[in-house]
Amino acid sequence: MSSKLSKFLWNILTGLGQLLHQISPPRWLRRSFYFCAVTGALVYLSIFITIGNYAKQLIKTPPTQKADTALILGNRAYLNDKPNPCLTGRVDEGLLLAQQGIVSTLLMSGGLDYEDNRIEARVMETHARNKGFQGGILVESRSSSTLENLTFSRSILETAGIKQIIITSEPYHMWRVKKLVEAGHMGQKINVSYAAAPSQCWVSWGMAFKGALREPLAVINNYVKGYF
């Protein structure tokens, strides 16, 4: 476990423990709290490890079979008044797949960011063109979540008659994406494989990146909402 993750979990447990001590509840309630807190931490850790292992597996085994399109999932468009490297790194992975002749078309998926009033898919498209990509680009610009990335992109792909895709996102994101695909959110007509994008954010932080630290909570949220 990373030191950042350990500190994160310890701070949560310590803060809640101090709060519980201050309000002095009955012993049975304190014990129940500590049991739930430890159980929650173990669930979080288990999901975190699963996500990390799958991320490493995908990085070691990039796709080699040809597909029609790389579906590139969005992220925050701008950071510090510049295109977010966590987003452009995903596009760069799609460009690499195109350069290798594995895909010929890119589908950019991402809607409006209220933080900077920019549409993720358009920022992704601009980055690809600035990098010299001259192939076909499809744009899905309504989505605001991973589930919507998949469902809104699905209709575009089916309309275009595309049946074989490679979904591209940062490594820590891919396990949840795979679970959503397996739950049927891309339908039955589209064959899906996966490519992990080692963006600058991933190279710098890996599973200690703040997005990766939040990912187990997103997984739990998706389970609770019945998306899987």
Side-chain angles (χ1 to χ4, degrees):
M1 189 192 320
S2 71
S3 59
K4 188 172 182 179
L5 175 60
S6 301
K7 185 177 181 180
F8 174 72
L9 294 175
W10 177 253
N11 287 342
I12 290 176
L13 292 174
T14 301
L16 291 175
Q18 290 173 348
L19 176 63
L20 198 64
H21 179 73
Q22 290 174 2
I23 63 177
S24 300
R27 179 178 294 180
W28 68 267
L29 186 58
R30 291 200 303 271
R31 289 179 175 176
S32 297
F33 164 79
Y34 285 121
F35 174 79
C36 291
V38 171
T39 301
L42 291 174
V43 169
Y44 175 96
L45 180 59
S46 176
I47 296 172
F48 182 86
I49 292 172
T50 299
I51 290 169
N53 287 339
Y54 186 63
K56 293 175 182 176
Q57 174 189 334
L58 280 184
I59 290 172
K60 290 179 180 178
T61 56
T64 56
Q65 291 188 341
K66 288 189 176 182
D68 302 311
T69 300
L71 167 56
I72 305 173
L73 306 187
N75 197 346
R76 182 172 178 176
Y78 264 56
L79 193 63
N80 300 323
D81 296 323
K82 296 180 180 179
N84 182 4
C86 305
L87 175 66
T88 57
R90 301 179 184 196
V91 179
D92 289 341
E93 181 66 21
L95 294 175
L96 178 61
L97 293 173
Q99 291 167 6
Q100 294 171 338
I102 295 176
V103 301
S104 57
T105 305
L106 306 179
L107 169 52
M108 311 301 192
S109 176
L112 178 65
D113 280 340
Y114 292 99
E115 300 95 338
D116 46 39
N117 200 35
R118 296 175 186 270
I119 295 176
E120 296 169 5
R122 294 302 180 186
V123 173
M124 297 158 74
E125 179 184 22
T126 298
H127 178 75
R129 293 305 189 197
N130 288 342
K131 285 274 191 171
F133 181 70
Q134 298 181 3
I137 295 181
L138 302 171
V139 173
E140 182 287 298
S141 58
R142 296 186 297 148
S143 57
S144 60
S145 68
T146 302
L147 178 64
E148 290 183 353
N149 284 148
L150 300 180
T151 54
F152 293 164
S153 295
R154 170 185 170 185
S155 61
I156 293 174
L157 292 166
E158 290 180 345
T159 299
I162 294 170
K163 298 182 179 180
Q164 186 75 38
I165 68 170
I166 299 173
I167 298 181
T168 302
S169 188
E170 285 185 279
Y172 69 83
H173 192 201
M174 298 306 298
W175 189 80
R176 178 159 59 102
V177 172
K178 182 172 179 287
K179 294 293 290 183
L180 289 169
V181 171
E182 290 174 345
H185 296 291
M186 285 299 294
Q188 304 299 320
K189 298 179 181 180
I190 300 173
N191 296 318
V192 179
S193 54
Y194 306 91
S199 71
Q200 178 182 323
C201 299
W202 174 263
V203 171
S204 299
W205 293 94
M207 287 301 291
F209 178 58
K210 62 183 179 180
L213 293 174
R214 290 196 300 261
E215 188 64 14
L217 303 180
V219 169
I220 293 170
N221 178 61
N222 282 193
Y223 268 116
V224 170
K225 291 184 176 180
Y227 295 163
F228 297 154

